[in-house]
Amino acid sequence: MKKLLSRILFWLGFAIIPVFLVVAMSGKASITREWGLAASIIILVAVGLMYLGFELDASSPREIAVIAVLGAVGAAGRIAFAALPNIQPTTFIAIASGYVFGSSAGFMTGSTAALVSNFFLGQGPWTPWQMFAWGLAGSSAGIVKRLFPHIGRWGMAVFCFLWGYFFGWILNLWSWTTFVKPLNWQSFIAVCAASFWFDTFHAIGNAAFYLLFGTGFIKILNRFKHKMIINYEESIK
């Protein structure tokens, strides 16, 4: 029952966002003028629900330690590549983590990397959105693993490439709701068009990181996962 509740809370966090987007673009909500504040509150609630879902999932200390290390590696990679225009390994690391350890672990890896790296690069109202976007990248990789277990190297490279744009569109929601009026499909498309080249650099970087390091990195993570499973089975005997 506790595990079921954790999964409901985890996926409920994701469900909030499309509902928010549809309501915002309808222009019928009474808080339309305050969508910047409302968006920040909604994204914080969404991230909070997913963290609560992970907490209730009762993950092993070893798994939590691996996720913490992966989140730190993702943060360090982002800081190291900060001078390049939106080219960093954080998205690739979150996706690889979710692909191997599952959606919940992928979310925690991506969101942790965003939070930790922003202590060095700057915290702000964009931080929860980055946590959500990188967390969603990791979670979606867990879904891809279930639906397409033999997706292959090039399939994953394409998936990483697409996430360069998906990540940008999610972050565009923050700038759109905060700085743009009126809120409609036309203005949102204009915001996305303005970030097109920035998102393209991100997409190309993601695909390049996976093609260069993806196969080896996933093999390493699978070894850690295998060891955790063996140690867990031995501990319950």
Side-chain angles (χ1 to χ4, degrees):
M1 185 65 183
K2 190 176 182 180
K3 193 173 186 65
L4 176 62
L5 177 61
S6 71
R7 293 192 176 185
I8 291 174
L9 289 172
F10 184 80
W11 293 110
L12 181 61
F14 288 124
I16 290 176
I17 303 305
V19 172
F20 155 73
L21 181 60
V22 171
V23 174
M25 290 185 175
S26 70
K28 297 179 180 180
S30 60
I31 59 173
T32 299
R33 295 180 180 178
E34 302 297 336
W35 269 122
L37 176 61
S40 297
I41 294 173
I42 291 169
I43 204 70
L44 282 170
V45 170
V47 171
L49 284 172
M50 286 178 278
Y51 268 78
L52 179 60
F54 179 80
E55 176 69 21
L56 293 175
D57 198 27
S59 300
S60 68
R62 290 179 182 271
E63 182 179 358
I64 294 173
V66 170
I67 292 171
V69 170
L70 289 171
V73 171
R78 184 185 176 206
I79 295 168
F81 284 82
L84 299 179
N86 213 21
I87 297 177
Q88 34 69 29
T90 309
T91 312
F92 151 70
I93 292 171
I95 287 174
S97 302
Y99 187 80
V100 173
F101 294 104
S103 295
S104 183
F107 177 85
M108 295 301 297
T109 298
S111 61
T112 300
L115 180 63
V116 173
S117 61
N118 277 0
F119 281 111
F120 299 90
L121 300 177
Q123 301 284 359
W126 52 84
T127 297
W129 289 90
Q130 291 174 332
M131 293 174 66
F132 180 81
W134 268 312
L136 182 55
S139 292
S140 63
I143 297 173
V144 166
K145 175 67 177 294
R146 290 190 176 188
L147 297 178
F148 309 102
H150 305 294
I151 188 173
R153 178 169 176 250
W154 284 99
M156 282 300 293
V158 171
F159 180 72
C160 290
F161 178 85
L162 293 175
W163 256 105
Y165 293 101
F166 296 154
F167 181 91
W169 296 341
I170 294 172
L171 267 292
N172 286 341
L173 278 173
W174 168 71
S175 58
W176 176 66
T177 54
T178 304
F179 302 111
V180 178
K181 296 293 183 291
L183 300 182
N184 52 42
W185 288 107
Q186 292 81 359
S187 62
F188 182 67
I189 291 173
V191 171
C192 291
S195 68
F196 174 77
W197 290 112
F198 198 65
D199 297 337
T200 299
F201 287 134
H202 189 182
I204 293 172
N206 291 346
F209 278 117
Y210 193 87
L211 290 173
L212 291 172
F213 309 110
T215 303
F217 190 64
I218 285 181
K219 284 183 180 178
I220 293 172
L221 295 185
N222 275 320
R223 287 175 192 158
F224 275 106
K225 182 180 180 181
H226 183 64
K227 288 181 179 179
M228 286 192 298
I229 292 173
I230 292 176
N231 290 333
Y232 175 74
E233 289 177 348
E234 291 177 348
S235 67
I236 61 176
K237 286 181 181 180

